Amino acid sequence: MATQKPGKRVKAALEKAVDKVTELVNPPIPGSPVSEPPALDEPTDPRGPLPPKPDQDGPETVSPTGAPTGAPKTANAQQGEFLTTSAGARLRDTDHSLKAGERGPTLLQDHHLREKVMHFDHERIPERVVHARGYGAHGTFVGYGTASKVCMAGFLGDGVETPVFVRFSTVLGSRGSADTVRDTRGFATKFYTQEGNFDLVGNNIPVFFIQDGIKFPDVIHAGKPHPDREIPQAQSAHDTFWDFVSTHTEATHHVLWNMSDRGIPRSYRTMEGFGVHTFRLVNAEGETALAKFHWKPKLGVHSLVWEEAQMINGFDPDFHRRDLADAIESGAYPQWELGLQIFPDTPRQTFEGIDLLDPTKMVPEELAPVQPVGMLTLNRNTTNYFAETEQVAFHLGNLVPGIDVTDDPLFQARLFSYLDTQLTRLAGPNFNQLPINRPHVPVNDMLRDGFHQHAVHGGVAPYKPNSLDGGNPFEATAEDRPLVEVAQPLPRAVKVREAPASFSDHFTQPRLFWLSLSPVEKEHVVRAFTFELGKCYEQAIKERQLRVLANVDPALCAEVAAGLGLPAPAPATRPKKVTPSPALSQIGQTWPTDGRLIGIVVDPTDLDGVRTVRETILAGGMVPLLIAPTGGPIGDSDLVAQRTFLTARSVEFDALLLAGSPPPGADAVPAGDAKAGAPGGAVDPRVVLMVQECFRHAKAIGAWGTGVAALEASGCAGAGVVTGDDASKVFTELMTLLGAHRVWDRFPATIA
């Protein structure tokens, strides 16, 4: 139990992180692969395994049945100084098979060869059918105590600190796909509470494609690569996807969100999360309420622009996972506030005319404000991706007292699907005994045997009732706070394959979302629809989707139709009048700049102001990356370049500073660096390209001293471009711009 208020704890953690960075004279740039630098020559003196890096952590060392072992987390890692077999026998040689003579055939008796190759042959497990591409991190959740009136869950109590593991993911792509594709993102959180594990398995979009889980195989089959060619990978810009969503119009709301900037988030750190479904909460008095879960990022909700996302897919397919890992390593711990939208638990289970059991509908925050109930902080990277991120198993049925399910038909199917899929992925029913999945409380479940059984169960009576084991385990009484399903009355009904009439409105909420966006966001939606439908082969699919868009908003339909060179159809029904929800727009506010990456172009012969600005950036919790003609020390200074003109690209940075105007480098020719283009000009052409890309992607740009010449060589001027003679003043003004994430005024939108 924490002694400080959660707000103070969060603030103290942030101050500690900033102080740590500021105190270091030369803090390390994140990305080091190991905890200590390697020697130039191969080490030959035996020693134990290196410790994990300071930013890394592993699952708690509890037993398969939830008992604390007291062992350090490294107890789950490899041990000892010498190479051994899996049974612990030391090995003398792992480079040569056992052969009949040095040129003879390999012998069948080579047990080490067989074990080594056998294990390698089985190192891969089936990837997830959806959400295969994922990345995770450890952290803590601190409750505010503000949920006590509606929910008795212990982890939401005032100051209660709960370990968590969070996995972010894309839906459609395979494990090897790129991070910045246009797709829905998963936001799954495992709370290791003192009442058992609670899994909140959500997305970065508050609504889903379908209303009933029986349609889940259909929407995923439609979104996946075409089965004949297995292309395109991790994309929705193809015929089968648009064929499905244009005929199954309940998908329209989710499609609008996916075609918005929400479909290409800037990072996991700047991504909102939603529980999607409506849950039923129970307080200590047994009173119930309905609720939706929200994750609000402290850095705000930000996205990439489309060209930037496409470039990143080639430049750094691991962009999102690298960003999260580097932020944690550098001490810029990402944070999200957990909030609840609360609704009365009425027999109709509706709110302001919105059916709360329809997962394609959301409730505007203006109608039901999101009430903060706790803070999530991710502060440790994984020690082993496979053991933790790949093997973590989420399940919506992992509930705790105070949180129950509702009759949402998509929710109900997910309760079956998540358990079922683990049997194939993790090869048996004992997946909760894997270290990353183990509860941090005692487990006495009477489940026995099966593949990969880690527990060594005592007793002879795994059944109830029994007397041979002294009656153990005993069922909990009300005073023991058991997990109890709410005794919800059911309507008198007959078995049917139908949906309620309230599920049939497929266009009002998509229209609400569209009208809530700013002009520049609307323009991005139009461009996304135009691109995606333009990649479809069949003309009928394009025309059918235009009919859908006409029912959402005639202006949206007309813009997309013009881009496709097709006539805009008239709406089949008159669009309903809606009240826009400003909370749905990402633009118009200012946010913290923690963890932002600032590129600084330097000329080794002119370093005036660079050191001061670099230290200011570090003290502000951001990461400066010096970009020079070559790597290593810069000129005669103690500054070191983290990027070169060859390796750097604008998409890596949130803002760009020009501290010099370096002349073309030795490799500034097509043979040395293709992006250098034809030789010519006084400034290195790759610097000019970098500035032009940042300008085109609406990023803040600053220049001082001789750096102004590089800016002039790029031909970029206007909103969000700061120049001056004093480096500190330039950076201060750039910081103000960075708080708004991008300089949208640079390109006024043409859509009202």
Side-chain angles (χ1 to χ4, degrees):
M1 181 70 70
T3 56
Q4 290 178 295
K5 292 291 183 183
K8 293 181 178 179
R9 292 175 59 84
V10 171
K11 183 179 179 182
L14 281 174
E15 291 175 347
K16 183 179 179 181
V18 172
D19 291 345
K20 177 183 176 183
V21 173
T22 308
E23 288 170 4
L24 294 170
V25 178
N26 284 302
I29 295 298
S32 173
V34 288
S35 56
E36 63 181 56
L40 181 61
D41 298 320
E42 181 182 357
T44 56
D45 295 331
R47 58 170 293 180
L50 295 180
K53 296 194 301 175
D55 62 289
Q56 293 178 326
D57 204 8
E60 292 291 337
T61 52
V62 293
S63 75
T65 51
T69 65
K73 293 182 181 180
T74 52
N76 286 327
Q78 61 270 34
Q79 307 291 325
E81 306 153 50
F82 299 103
L83 178 68
T84 72
T85 67
S86 63
R90 292 181 181 177
L91 292 165
R92 180 181 61 83
D93 185 337
T94 192
D95 293 333
H96 306 94
S97 302
L98 190 64
K99 296 182 285 289
E102 62 182 24
R103 297 176 62 83
T106 299
L107 299 178
L108 182 63
Q109 74 181 65
D110 189 348
H111 58 90
H112 177 42
L113 165 69
R114 171 143 171 70
E115 179 184 69
K116 187 174 180 180
V117 174
M118 174 274 295
H119 198 280
F120 170 78
D121 289 344
H122 297 274
E123 281 181 359
R124 294 295 175 265
I125 64 175
E127 67 175 34
R128 290 167 168 87
V129 176
V130 289
H131 297 278
R133 173 75 174 182
Y135 200 72
H138 296 272
T140 58
F141 176 85
V142 179
Y144 293 167
T146 52
S148 60
K149 291 184 179 179
V150 293
C151 185
M152 63 187 290
F155 77 97
L156 296 175
D158 187 11
V160 176
E161 186 170 327
T162 301
V164 298
F165 185 80
V166 177
R167 186 180 187 271
F168 303 101
S169 55
T170 51
V171 171
L172 291 178
S174 67
R175 269 190 66 184
S177 59
D179 278 351
T180 60
V181 296
R182 183 179 294 282
D183 198 358
T184 305
R185 264 71 183 179
F187 193 134
T189 308
K190 186 178 288 291
F191 297 81
Y192 303 95
T193 87
Q194 289 305 297
E195 297 175 306
N197 288 354
F198 169 56
D199 292 351
L200 183 57
V201 193
N203 288 331
N204 72 321
I205 293 175
V207 294
F208 204 61
F209 285 107
I210 54 175
Q211 296 168 325
D212 194 310
I214 200 170
K215 296 298 297 179
F216 193 73
D218 298 302
V219 66
I220 298 304
H221 287 168
K224 286 286 189 177
H226 292 199
D228 53 351
R229 300 186 180 188
E230 185 62 13
I231 55 175
Q233 174 64 236
Q235 296 181 53
S236 54
H238 56 90
D239 287 72
T240 60
F241 175 81
W242 289 100
D243 180 42
F244 177 81
V245 300
S246 64
T247 53
H248 199 68
T249 54
E250 68 190 50
T252 303
H253 194 187
H254 190 113
V255 168
L256 259 290
W257 279 77
N258 228 21
M259 294 301 108
S260 77
D261 292 342
R262 303 278 186 146
I264 43 174
R266 159 62 181 84
S267 67
Y268 295 136
R269 297 182 293 130
T270 59
M271 192 175 80
E272 211 165 1
F274 303 91
V276 178
H277 306 291
T278 299
F279 290 74
R280 179 168 280 106
L281 306 183
V282 187
N283 66 14
E285 287 71 42
E287 300 166 330
T288 64
L290 301 179
K292 287 183 177 289
F293 287 93
H294 293 249
W295 290 113
K296 297 287 188 182
K298 297 298 285 184
L299 298 180
V301 185
H302 309 302
S303 298
L304 300 168
V305 296
W306 180 232
E307 184 195 41
E308 189 181 20
Q310 291 176 299
M311 291 171 61
I312 291 171
N313 282 339
F315 176 74
D316 185 5
D318 305 305
F319 185 76
H320 282 160
R321 52 175 60 189
R322 190 188 312 279
D323 174 272
L324 180 64
D326 285 355
I328 292 173
E329 185 179 356
S330 64
Y333 299 146
Q335 292 187 307
W336 292 261
E337 198 163 46
L338 181 64
L340 295 174
Q341 282 184 300
I342 305 298
F343 319 104
D345 190 0
T346 62
R348 293 183 59 83
Q349 297 175 93
T350 62
F351 182 78
E352 297 289 339
I354 300 168
D355 194 326
L356 297 176
L357 299 187
D358 182 350
T360 68
K361 305 293 193 302
M362 44 80 66
V363 178
E365 294 182 25
E366 291 76 13
L367 297 180
V370 177
Q371 304 174 37
V373 297
M375 180 70 76
L376 165 68
T377 303
L378 296 183
N379 54 22
R380 283 291 181 267
N381 286 311
T382 57
T383 301
N384 184 276
Y385 176 89
F386 178 82
E388 297 165 79
T389 307
E390 190 63 16
Q391 290 197 130
V392 67
F394 296 98
H395 174 39
L396 277 76
N398 285 345
L399 302 165
V400 291
I403 303 177
D404 202 1
V405 305
T406 57
D407 295 332
D408 172 342
L410 177 61
F411 199 160
Q412 294 280 313
R414 292 179 74 193
L415 289 168
F416 168 80
S417 181
Y418 279 72
L419 273 182
D420 192 56
T421 195
Q422 311 304 346
L423 294 175
T424 298
R425 285 200 63 252
L426 300 174
N430 292 312
F431 48 83
N432 274 334
Q433 294 184 20
L434 294 168
I436 191 63
N437 296 320
R438 291 177 183 174
H440 295 185
V441 292
V443 174
N444 197 344
D445 53 20
M446 295 198 304
L447 305 176
R448 294 293 185 268
D449 307 338
F451 281 110
H452 311 299
Q453 176 59 255
H454 294 266
V456 182
H457 296 102
V460 297
Y463 52 81
K464 288 291 292 180
N466 77 73
S467 62
L468 293 176
D469 281 346
N472 181 272
F474 296 89
E475 294 172 344
T477 64
E479 291 73 23
D480 302 313
R481 288 176 59 91
L483 177 63
V484 179
E485 294 78 11
V486 176
Q488 188 69 13
L490 298 177
R492 183 177 180 182
V494 295
K495 291 186 291 186
V496 294
R497 290 190 185 273
E498 295 179 5
S502 56
F503 278 36
S504 62
D505 181 358
H506 299 164
F507 302 119
T508 300
Q509 286 221 330
R511 178 170 173 77
L512 165 66
F513 179 71
W514 164 256
L515 293 179
S516 301
L517 300 180
S518 65
V520 68
E521 290 172 299
K522 288 182 178 179
E523 200 156 80
H524 293 169
V525 170
V526 169
R527 299 286 83 82
F529 271 111
T530 306
F531 174 86
E532 296 258 328
L533 291 170
K535 299 286 281 186
C536 291
Y537 182 88
E538 298 293 347
Q539 196 78 353
I541 292 175
K542 302 176 188 179
E543 295 176 4
R544 189 191 308 138
Q545 183 60 34
L546 287 175
R547 292 181 186 175
V548 175
L549 295 183
N551 290 327
V552 174
D553 188 87
L556 166 62
C557 179
E559 291 282 347
V560 176
L564 295 173
L566 295 172
T573 58
R574 182 187 296 273
K576 292 185 178 180
K577 186 177 180 179
V578 297
T579 302
S581 169
L584 298 178
S585 174
Q586 297 182 197
I587 295 175
Q589 302 179 48
T590 57
W591 296 273
T593 57
D594 307 49
R596 299 293 180 88
L597 298 179
I598 313 297
I600 309 176
V601 174
V602 301
D603 184 339
T605 63
D606 184 6
L607 299 176
D608 183 43
V610 172
R611 183 175 283 98
T612 300
V613 168
R614 182 179 179 276
E615 291 173 354
T616 303
I617 292 171
L618 287 167
M622 295 170 286
V623 178
L625 296 176
L626 301 184
I627 315 166
T630 60
I634 301 175
D636 297 328
S637 73
D638 59 349
L639 296 172
V640 177
Q642 286 80 43
R643 301 290 187 272
T644 67
F645 301 155
L646 172 68
T647 62
R649 201 64 190 263
S650 66
V651 294
E652 186 176 8
F653 312 116
D654 293 293
L656 188 67
L657 290 170
L658 301 169
S661 298
D667 59 347
V669 292
D673 186 353
K675 67 178 182 288
V683 180
D684 192 295
R686 295 162 297 181
V687 173
V688 173
L689 176 64
M690 198 179 308
V691 176
Q692 291 172 339
E693 288 174 349
C694 283
F695 186 85
R696 197 162 65 244
H697 299 155
K699 295 179 181 179
I701 303 170
W704 68 86
T706 59
V708 176
L711 187 61
E712 293 172 346
S714 71
C716 298
V721 178
V722 184
T723 59
D725 295 324
D726 185 276
S728 297
K729 290 182 179 179
V730 168
F731 179 68
T732 299
E733 191 171 342
L734 183 124
M735 276 287 293
T736 302
L737 295 168
L738 195 58
H741 188 62
R742 293 187 193 268
V743 188
W744 297 118
D745 293 342
R746 188 177 294 162
F747 305 111
T750 59
I751 299 178

